[in-house]
Amino acid sequence: MRIEQTIMTDISSVEKIYTEAIAYQHHQTGYSWYPFSSSFIKQEIEEKRNFKVVTDEDEIAGVFSVMNVDPIIWNDDKGKEAIYLHRMAILNNYRGKNIAKRVVEWAMIEAFKSKKKFIRIDTWASNKKLITYYQNLGFRLIGKKQLPPKSNLPAHYNNIEVSLFEIKL
């Protein structure tokens, strides 16, 4: 498997992965992300923040986003400390195949190259299963944060409490 930047011709594949992930989230927890518009995905691709995990057979097995600053969730508007992973989604056919572990390994290399000290990720504070999963990937729970009712973040972040995790390099 390899990790590459997502390109415009991948938009339909990214939408399919997010649609499947949203259904999975809702089935597992009763809540989920809201659907991401094509324009939102296009913007992330244009900003070179969306990545895909590609199998040896050239199928996109998962996607995720990377941010170098995260002023709302992490109070980091300078971008000197961490790489922030967001919206990691994996096709159901590839669950259990260590894709998230590969993403974390990739992020560690990218963070090291960028002289960052941490890889950070968040999730709903009530998602116990995902909290345990992130901890098993090597993330340390460092706290919780209540997010504002409205912000520039995707709508699913409005007025929720998130658990914050990091891996120190």
Side-chain angles (χ1 to χ4, degrees), residues 124-139:
W124 285 286
S126 59
N127 193 336
K128 305 294 183 210
K129 195 171 184 177
L130 194 52
I131 288 168
T132 300
Y133 184 74
Y134 285 162
Q135 290 172 320
N136 289 338
L137 285 173
F139 285 94

Side-chain angles (χ1 to χ4, degrees), residues 12-159:
S12 63
S13 295
V14 174
E15 289 173 330
K16 175 187 173 192
I17 292 168
Y18 281 142
T19 298
E20 195 173 283
I22 288 167
Y24 182 82
Q25 287 171 337
H26 193 73
H27 176 74
Q28 292 292 311
T29 65
Y31 50 87
S32 63
W33 296 329
Y34 299 125
F36 300 107
S37 68
S38 294
S39 61
F40 177 82
I41 296 167
K42 182 180 177 190
Q43 180 180 355
E44 283 202 328
I45 293 170
E46 287 172 347
E47 293 172 358
K48 301 189 182 313
R49 296 187 302 112
N50 194 278
F51 291 83
K52 59 188 174 185
V53 180
V54 183
T55 67
D56 294 336
E57 294 78 29
D58 290 326
E59 182 175 5
I60 300 175
V63 295
F64 62 98
S65 295
V66 173
M67 294 176 60
N68 288 307
V69 298
D70 199 331
I72 298 169
I73 298 173
W74 288 91
N75 300 322
D76 177 7
D77 57 357
K78 303 268 191 272
K80 294 182 180 178
E81 288 200 341
I83 286 180
Y84 301 93
L85 297 175
H86 288 285
R87 292 175 290 290
M88 191 180 334
I90 298 164
L91 282 173
N92 290 339
N93 289 346
Y94 291 97
R95 293 191 183 284
K97 301 203 184 298
N98 296 315
I99 290 176
K101 182 179 178 186
R102 292 286 310 246
V103 170
V104 171
E105 290 168 350
W106 173 89
M108 291 173 87
I109 292 166
E110 293 300 309
F112 180 78
K113 287 195 275 188
S114 302
K115 297 181 173 44
K116 307 278 182 158
K117 299 175 193 170
F118 303 98
I119 301 166
R120 292 179 173 157
I121 199 165
D122 64 84
T123 190
W124 285 286
S126 59
N127 193 336
K128 305 294 183 210
K129 195 171 184 177
L130 194 52
I131 288 168
T132 300
Y133 184 74
Y134 285 162
Q135 290 172 320
N136 289 338
L137 285 173
F139 285 94
R140 183 174 64 91
L141 177 64
I142 61 164
K144 294 181 181 181
K145 181 175 183 177
Q146 179 67 39
L147 297 180
K150 293 273 186 192
S151 71
N152 291 333
L153 295 171
H156 66 267
Y157 277 109
N158 291 342
N159 204 32

